[in-house]
Amino acid sequence: MEENMKNSLLIVDDDAFNLTLLTEILKPSYTVRAVSSGAAGIKAAEKFLPDLILLDILMPEMDGYQVFETLKGSDKTKHIPVIFITGLDNKSDEKKCLQLGAVDYISKPFDNVIVKLKVNQQIRNINQLRTIEHLSNEINHLKKK
């Protein structure tokens, strides 16, 4: 990844206030796209292939679980990590999200600093994994010479 290239995030939440707040919190460090429905989230994920998705659970028409299932069922988007960010705040909801394969869970109302720290940690993990994959490919390429 180039030094000046920002990692990208997709925020999917039907609450305009949360979309605006999360965008403002994260935009200084990341390229942020925000959409207000599950269907729009799936389309945006497939089109832009963000590095990380922040996904609300409680949304009309298509809830976060359905969006998550669709993303994980697609070869194009199944490897994109997802942080659920939701008003559901009991341990059974958190456990369900993590068991489904989410990388983290943030309860609303959220703390701005905690959101930034959790997103930063996931992006660091993603970038480290990409570095390892890149180095592995280079080593394999050199071995073939």
Side-chain angles (χ1 to χ4, degrees), residues 63-83:
D63 70 25
Y65 295 127
Q66 293 168 305
V67 174
F68 185 85
E69 187 177 297
T70 302
L71 293 171
K72 294 305 171 187
S74 166
D75 284 339
K76 202 170 181 184
T77 57
K78 68 182 177 186
H79 298 296
I80 302 171
V82 173
I83 295 176

Side-chain angles (χ1 to χ4, degrees), residues 87-132:
L88 300 175
D89 64 353
N90 65 56
K91 292 297 173 194
S92 64
D93 293 313
E94 183 175 3
K95 183 167 58 172
K96 177 179 180 178
C97 290
L98 295 172
Q99 286 174 331
L100 285 172
V103 294
D104 211 335
Y105 183 94
I106 300 170
S107 296
K108 295 176 189 173
F110 50 81
D111 179 286
N112 297 3
V113 174
I114 290 175
V115 169
K116 281 196 274 190
L117 289 169
K118 288 186 174 209
V119 168
N120 290 346
Q121 182 60 51
Q122 290 304 322
I123 293 296
R124 240 185 332 274
N125 292 346
I126 291 163
N127 289 340
Q128 287 172 347
L129 182 59
R130 286 184 179 153
T131 299
I132 291 167

